[in-house]
Amino acid sequence: MRQAGRSLPGYREVRKRASLFEICRSPQLAAEVTLEPVELLGVDAAILFSDIVLPLAAIGVGVEIVPGVGPVIDSPIRDARDLERLRPFEPAQDAPYLADAVRLLVSQLDVPLIGFAGGPFTLASYLIEGGPSKTHARTRALMYGEPLLWRRLLDRLADIALASLRAQALAGASALQLFESWAGVLDPGSYRTFVLPAARRIFDGLADLGVPRVHFGVGTGELLESMAVAGADVVGVDWRVPMDAARARLGRGVAVQGNLDPAACLAPWDVVRERVLAVLAQAGPTGHVFNLGHGVLPETNPDTLRRIVELVHGHRGGERAEPPVRS
Ligand code: 1CP
């Protein structure tokens, strides 16, 4: 999750020469920064370097990634007329570099490549707020106040995510992740009414591909039961929910992903180590994709990440393979 981001030296170098969208639109640059964490950290999978707003830019929505802020939309969506700007996304015509980057990476990687897209609530929130938001108040107000417009908006965004994810899988991605990052601001009833149908439409639309589907959000503790029925094979949880509690809420048949607090990576190694082992113990020996609970913080020392990967690799089936640290 944002593993190639601002904490890595190679990525920072590339960013001096190219903007974020320029990297995304160049298969060579996207491949270079996707490979860096695999080589440097030893992770078991690569996540394609791209951004969740890229398909919106590709269909002509005015969006910029502002450094230190995130995606900023020129002219936010406020009424039904604004919906016309969200035409269907046709990856082969609108963003051929996406599949090209996937193909290039698959030819170079010896670990699986994860493709991804933004969840409909999360993309709607950027489009309605005009950029990142702490409260997502306008988004929720439109959702409650104009349910028909909301529904049409989410259906369009679901189709955009589905088209993007299918294109990445068909180009060779081995797993697909839907980043519904900000859905955790909703209560469970609203999530079920206003977002779940769109999420289900995406996961159902991927089922024939036979590729594992991951569904992630931040602060989704109260939504996990509902997210479990959206159809993903793996649900990502952040650090607020202990892994055993997450499993109980998700029920059988769904694997879990997560959930080390990214801020824990800034602590001294002994503390990091204990917290990693606690996550592993809580998640249990199978059906767990070890990950951070959210994206890597820019100030993280890559060496800590490398040591975490090594520690997790040494920890098989509940056994501690690494000798205890002397105090
Ligand atoms: O791991 C990787 O580096 C892969 C590339 C990747 C991914 C998976 C980027 C590049 N963005 C994303 C996903 C993404 N983008 C999400 C979902 C995951 C999450 O919750 O973190 C979200 C919400 C975005 C939107 C976005 N783009 C933000 C968040 C803003 C907010 O609302 O708080 C930011 C800061 C960006 C810019 C961005 N995208 C990617 C990177 C490395 C960056 C940092 C800025 C830069 O280097 O210029």
Side-chain angles (χ1 to χ4, degrees):
M1 185 162 6
R2 294 221 216 128
Q3 64 188 15
R6 292 159 290 177
S7 66
L8 299 190
Y11 174 72
R12 286 183 179 162
E13 274 308 307
V14 173
R15 279 288 279 114
K16 285 183 192 160
R17 296 185 267 130
S19 73
L20 196 121
F21 279 160
E22 282 167 352
I23 301 176
C24 299
R25 289 176 183 140
S26 154
Q28 284 73 22
L29 288 179
E32 184 182 329
V33 296
T34 300
L35 291 172
E36 188 188 13
V38 179
E39 286 157 6
L40 204 71
L41 311 177
V43 285
D44 298 311
I47 184 150
L48 177 68
F49 192 87
S50 187
D51 195 86
I52 59 168
V53 297
L54 189 82
L56 299 180
I59 59 166
V61 174
V63 52
E64 285 299 324
I65 303 271
V66 177
V69 179
V72 173
I73 308 287
D74 277 354
S75 156
I77 288 193
R78 295 287 141 82
D79 57 35
R81 262 175 311 142
D82 295 332
L83 270 191
E84 299 316 314
R85 283 187 273 133
L86 288 182
R87 66 164 173 84
F89 175 49
E90 291 174 28
Q93 282 81 48
D94 297 325
Y97 42 82
L98 193 62
D100 288 345
V102 171
R103 276 188 290 266
L104 183 61
L105 276 159
V106 169
S107 74
Q108 294 178 355
L109 281 164
D110 44 22
V111 295
L113 178 70
I114 304 170
F116 71 91
F121 179 87
T122 302
L123 290 181
S125 85
Y126 287 114
L127 287 168
I128 295 166
E129 307 287 340
S133 164
K134 282 210 169 73
T135 61
H136 302 93
R138 270 183 187 273
T139 309
R140 283 183 287 160
L142 188 140
M143 182 184 87
Y144 298 130
E146 298 197 56
L148 287 178
L149 172 59
W150 175 262
R151 174 121 202 206
R152 288 172 60 208
L153 172 61
L154 256 70
D155 281 349
R156 285 188 189 216
L157 293 172
D159 287 344
I160 289 170
L162 183 54
S164 177
L165 291 168
R166 288 193 69 88
Q168 293 171 70
L170 293 172
S174 301
L176 298 169
Q177 177 150 202
L178 189 72
F179 283 113
E180 191 56 292
S181 298
W182 313 133
V185 295
L186 297 178
D187 66 279
S190 298
Y191 175 82
R192 283 196 295 273
T193 306
F194 295 113
V195 183
L196 183 60
R200 202 179 253 147
R201 186 175 162 129
I202 296 169
F203 290 116
D204 286 353
L206 300 171
D208 64 306
L209 297 170
V211 164
R213 299 156 297 173
V214 190
H215 196 183
F216 169 81
V218 180
T220 54
E222 296 296 330
L223 306 183
L224 290 176
E225 285 91 345
S226 309
M227 285 173 74
V229 299
D233 306 291
V234 184
V235 174
V237 283
D238 78 8
W239 61 95
R240 293 172 181 87
V241 188
M243 279 309 216
D244 44 0
R247 273 199 192 283
R249 291 178 200 178
L250 288 165
R252 286 170 169 274
V254 183
V256 289
Q257 173 180 285
N259 73 347
L260 183 71
D261 182 350
C265 300
L266 308 177
W269 174 248
D270 285 1
V271 178
V272 181
R273 184 178 177 280
E274 283 314 309
R275 298 199 78 97
V276 170
L277 294 174
V279 168
L280 290 168
Q282 279 169 359
T286 57
H288 175 214
V289 180
F290 184 91
N291 200 340
L292 301 188
H294 201 192
V296 175
L297 296 168
E299 57 271 44
T300 308
N301 181 346
D303 199 51
T304 304
L305 300 175
R306 192 191 52 73
R307 291 179 79 180
I308 292 173
V309 172
E310 209 176 86
L311 176 60
V312 173
H313 280 164
H315 180 96
R316 300 271 183 220
E319 295 295 318
R320 280 187 184 198
E322 205 195 50
V325 191
R326 270 176 290 139
S327 51

PDB file of all heavy atoms in Angstrom, residues 265-281:
ATOM      1  N   CYS A 265       6.110   2.074  12.701  1.00  0.00           N
ATOM      2  CA  CYS A 265       7.379   1.905  11.973  1.00  0.00           C
ATOM      3  C   CYS A 265       8.380   3.004  12.318  1.00  0.00           C
ATOM      4  O   CYS A 265       9.545   2.914  11.939  1.00  0.00           O
ATOM      5  CB  CYS A 265       7.139   1.896  10.466  1.00  0.00           C
ATOM      6  SG  CYS A 265       6.054   0.599   9.935  1.00  0.00           S
ATOM      7  N   LEU A 266       7.920   4.055  12.993  1.00  0.00           N
ATOM      8  CA  LEU A 266       8.821   5.145  13.374  1.00  0.00           C
ATOM      9  C   LEU A 266       9.414   4.914  14.770  1.00  0.00           C
ATOM     10  O   LEU A 266      10.276   5.667  15.219  1.00  0.00           O
ATOM     11  CB  LEU A 266       8.067   6.490  13.358  1.00  0.00           C
ATOM     12  CG  LEU A 266       7.304   6.824  12.064  1.00  0.00           C
ATOM     13  CD1 LEU A 266       6.555   8.135  12.211  1.00  0.00           C
ATOM     14  CD2 LEU A 266       8.267   6.883  10.869  1.00  0.00           C
ATOM     15  N   ALA A 267       8.949   3.885  15.475  1.00  0.00           N
ATOM     16  CA  ALA A 267       9.410   3.609  16.837  1.00  0.00           C
ATOM     17  C   ALA A 267      10.726   2.826  16.806  1.00  0.00           C
ATOM     18  O   ALA A 267      11.119   2.308  15.753  1.00  0.00           O
ATOM     19  CB  ALA A 267       8.332   2.827  17.583  1.00  0.00           C
ATOM     20  N   PRO A 268      11.419   2.709  17.959  1.00  0.00           N
ATOM     21  CA  PRO A 268      12.637   1.898  18.000  1.00  0.00           C
ATOM     22  C   PRO A 268      12.340   0.442  17.612  1.00  0.00           C
ATOM     23  O   PRO A 268      11.225  -0.044  17.828  1.00  0.00           O
ATOM     24  CB  PRO A 268      13.064   1.973  19.476  1.00  0.00           C
ATOM     25  CG  PRO A 268      12.392   3.190  20.016  1.00  0.00           C
ATOM     26  CD  PRO A 268      11.133   3.361  19.245  1.00  0.00           C
ATOM     27  N   TRP A 269      13.364  -0.251  17.074  1.00  0.00           N
ATOM     28  CA  TRP A 269      13.141  -1.579  16.497  1.00  0.00           C
ATOM     29  C   TRP A 269      12.490  -2.573  17.469  1.00  0.00           C
ATOM     30  O   TRP A 269      11.603  -3.323  17.083  1.00  0.00           O
ATOM     31  CB  TRP A 269      14.443  -2.153  15.931  1.00  0.00           C
ATOM     32  CG  TRP A 269      14.221  -3.569  15.491  1.00  0.00           C
ATOM     33  CD1 TRP A 269      14.732  -4.702  16.041  1.00  0.00           C
ATOM     34  CD2 TRP A 269      13.355  -4.002  14.415  1.00  0.00           C
ATOM     35  NE1 TRP A 269      14.244  -5.813  15.384  1.00  0.00           N
ATOM     36  CE2 TRP A 269      13.402  -5.409  14.381  1.00  0.00           C
ATOM     37  CE3 TRP A 269      12.543  -3.342  13.491  1.00  0.00           C
ATOM     38  CZ2 TRP A 269      12.682  -6.177  13.471  1.00  0.00           C
ATOM     39  CZ3 TRP A 269      11.810  -4.100  12.575  1.00  0.00           C
ATOM     40  CH2 TRP A 269      11.888  -5.488  12.563  1.00  0.00           C
ATOM     41  N   ASP A 270      12.899  -2.581  18.727  1.00  0.00           N
ATOM     42  CA  ASP A 270      12.312  -3.539  19.673  1.00  0.00           C
ATOM     43  C   ASP A 270      10.797  -3.379  19.762  1.00  0.00           C
ATOM     44  O   ASP A 270      10.064  -4.352  19.911  1.00  0.00           O
ATOM     45  CB  ASP A 270      12.910  -3.347  21.077  1.00  0.00           C
ATOM     46  CG  ASP A 270      14.317  -3.903  21.156  1.00  0.00           C
ATOM     47  OD1 ASP A 270      14.805  -4.396  20.119  1.00  0.00           O
ATOM     48  OD2 ASP A 270      14.918  -3.830  22.245  1.00  0.00           O
ATOM     49  N   VAL A 271      10.355  -2.135  19.694  1.00  0.00           N
ATOM     50  CA  VAL A 271       8.914  -1.852  19.776  1.00  0.00           C
ATOM     51  C   VAL A 271       8.232  -2.312  18.483  1.00  0.00           C
ATOM     52  O   VAL A 271       7.185  -2.967  18.509  1.00  0.00           O
ATOM     53  CB  VAL A 271       8.679  -0.336  20.005  1.00  0.00           C
ATOM     54  CG1 VAL A 271       7.194  -0.019  20.046  1.00  0.00           C
ATOM     55  CG2 VAL A 271       9.393   0.127  21.268  1.00  0.00           C
ATOM     56  N   VAL A 272       8.847  -1.994  17.365  1.00  0.00           N
ATOM     57  CA  VAL A 272       8.302  -2.407  16.070  1.00  0.00           C
ATOM     58  C   VAL A 272       8.129  -3.926  16.070  1.00  0.00           C
ATOM     59  O   VAL A 272       7.077  -4.462  15.716  1.00  0.00           O
ATOM     60  CB  VAL A 272       9.243  -2.018  14.902  1.00  0.00           C
ATOM     61  CG1 VAL A 272       8.657  -2.436  13.558  1.00  0.00           C
ATOM     62  CG2 VAL A 272       9.549  -0.534  14.907  1.00  0.00           C
ATOM     63  N   ARG A 273       9.183  -4.596  16.493  1.00  0.00           N
ATOM     64  CA  ARG A 273       9.210  -6.059  16.481  1.00  0.00           C
ATOM     65  C   ARG A 273       8.058  -6.641  17.301  1.00  0.00           C
ATOM     66  O   ARG A 273       7.349  -7.535  16.848  1.00  0.00           O
ATOM     67  CB  ARG A 273      10.564  -6.490  17.048  1.00  0.00           C
ATOM     68  CG  ARG A 273      10.820  -7.953  17.025  1.00  0.00           C
ATOM     69  CD  ARG A 273      12.218  -8.255  17.560  1.00  0.00           C
ATOM     70  NE  ARG A 273      12.396  -9.681  17.595  1.00  0.00           N
ATOM     71  CZ  ARG A 273      11.919 -10.448  18.552  1.00  0.00           C
ATOM     72  NH1 ARG A 273      11.263  -9.926  19.562  1.00  0.00           N
ATOM     73  NH2 ARG A 273      12.094 -11.749  18.497  1.00  0.00           N
ATOM     74  N   GLU A 274       7.883  -6.112  18.510  1.00  0.00           N
ATOM     75  CA  GLU A 274       6.791  -6.606  19.359  1.00  0.00           C
ATOM     76  C   GLU A 274       5.438  -6.400  18.694  1.00  0.00           C
ATOM     77  O   GLU A 274       4.561  -7.244  18.766  1.00  0.00           O
ATOM     78  CB  GLU A 274       6.811  -5.906  20.736  1.00  0.00           C
ATOM     79  CG  GLU A 274       7.886  -6.427  21.675  1.00  0.00           C
ATOM     80  CD  GLU A 274       7.947  -7.964  21.704  1.00  0.00           C
ATOM     81  OE1 GLU A 274       6.882  -8.607  21.906  1.00  0.00           O
ATOM     82  OE2 GLU A 274       9.043  -8.518  21.500  1.00  0.00           O
ATOM     83  N   ARG A 275       5.286  -5.262  18.051  1.00  0.00           N
ATOM     84  CA  ARG A 275       3.982  -4.962  17.434  1.00  0.00           C
ATOM     85  C   ARG A 275       3.737  -5.830  16.209  1.00  0.00           C
ATOM     86  O   ARG A 275       2.615  -6.240  15.933  1.00  0.00           O
ATOM     87  CB  ARG A 275       3.878  -3.474  17.093  1.00  0.00           C
ATOM     88  CG  ARG A 275       3.963  -2.587  18.331  1.00  0.00           C
ATOM     89  CD  ARG A 275       3.410  -1.212  18.082  1.00  0.00           C
ATOM     90  NE  ARG A 275       1.965  -1.216  18.114  1.00  0.00           N
ATOM     91  CZ  ARG A 275       1.236  -0.890  19.183  1.00  0.00           C
ATOM     92  NH1 ARG A 275       1.827  -0.533  20.305  1.00  0.00           N
ATOM     93  NH2 ARG A 275      -0.074  -0.909  19.118  1.00  0.00           N
ATOM     94  N   VAL A 276       4.787  -6.111  15.461  1.00  0.00           N
ATOM     95  CA  VAL A 276       4.647  -7.014  14.309  1.00  0.00           C
ATOM     96  C   VAL A 276       4.237  -8.401  14.798  1.00  0.00           C
ATOM     97  O   VAL A 276       3.303  -9.021  14.271  1.00  0.00           O
ATOM     98  CB  VAL A 276       5.974  -7.095  13.510  1.00  0.00           C
ATOM     99  CG1 VAL A 276       5.919  -8.209  12.464  1.00  0.00           C
ATOM    100  CG2 VAL A 276       6.277  -5.754  12.851  1.00  0.00           C
ATOM    101  N   LEU A 277       4.918  -8.868  15.848  1.00  0.00           N
ATOM    102  CA  LEU A 277       4.608 -10.208  16.360  1.00  0.00           C
ATOM    103  C   LEU A 277       3.185 -10.249  16.918  1.00  0.00           C
ATOM    104  O   LEU A 277       2.487 -11.270  16.791  1.00  0.00           O
ATOM    105  CB  LEU A 277       5.633 -10.622  17.432  1.00  0.00           C
ATOM    106  CG  LEU A 277       7.057 -10.819  16.886  1.00  0.00           C
ATOM    107  CD1 LEU A 277       8.048 -11.095  18.023  1.00  0.00           C
ATOM    108  CD2 LEU A 277       7.110 -11.957  15.858  1.00  0.00           C
ATOM    109  N   ALA A 278       2.738  -9.138  17.515  1.00  0.00           N
ATOM    110  CA  ALA A 278       1.371  -9.104  18.050  1.00  0.00           C
ATOM    111  C   ALA A 278       0.355  -9.220  16.908  1.00  0.00           C
ATOM    112  O   ALA A 278      -0.639  -9.940  17.024  1.00  0.00           O
ATOM    113  CB  ALA A 278       1.151  -7.817  18.850  1.00  0.00           C
ATOM    114  N   VAL A 279       0.607  -8.525  15.800  1.00  0.00           N
ATOM    115  CA  VAL A 279      -0.301  -8.616  14.645  1.00  0.00           C
ATOM    116  C   VAL A 279      -0.346 -10.060  14.141  1.00  0.00           C
ATOM    117  O   VAL A 279      -1.420 -10.626  13.898  1.00  0.00           O
ATOM    118  CB  VAL A 279       0.143  -7.662  13.503  1.00  0.00           C
ATOM    119  CG1 VAL A 279      -0.615  -7.955  12.211  1.00  0.00           C
ATOM    120  CG2 VAL A 279      -0.035  -6.206  13.911  1.00  0.00           C
ATOM    121  N   LEU A 280       0.831 -10.680  14.019  1.00  0.00           N
ATOM    122  CA  LEU A 280       0.886 -12.055  13.519  1.00  0.00           C
ATOM    123  C   LEU A 280       0.135 -13.001  14.454  1.00  0.00           C
ATOM    124  O   LEU A 280      -0.610 -13.881  14.008  1.00  0.00           O
ATOM    125  CB  LEU A 280       2.347 -12.501  13.364  1.00  0.00           C
ATOM    126  CG  LEU A 280       3.118 -11.809  12.234  1.00  0.00           C
ATOM    127  CD1 LEU A 280       4.618 -12.096  12.350  1.00  0.00           C
ATOM    128  CD2 LEU A 280       2.598 -12.260  10.866  1.00  0.00           C
ATOM    129  N   ALA A 281       0.313 -12.797  15.762  1.00  0.00           N
ATOM    130  CA  ALA A 281      -0.355 -13.678  16.732  1.00  0.00           C
ATOM    131  C   ALA A 281      -1.869 -13.487  16.666  1.00  0.00           C
ATOM    132  O   ALA A 281      -2.629 -14.463  16.686  1.00  0.00           O
ATOM    133  CB  ALA A 281       0.171 -13.386  18.138  1.00  0.00           C
TER     134      ALA A 281
END
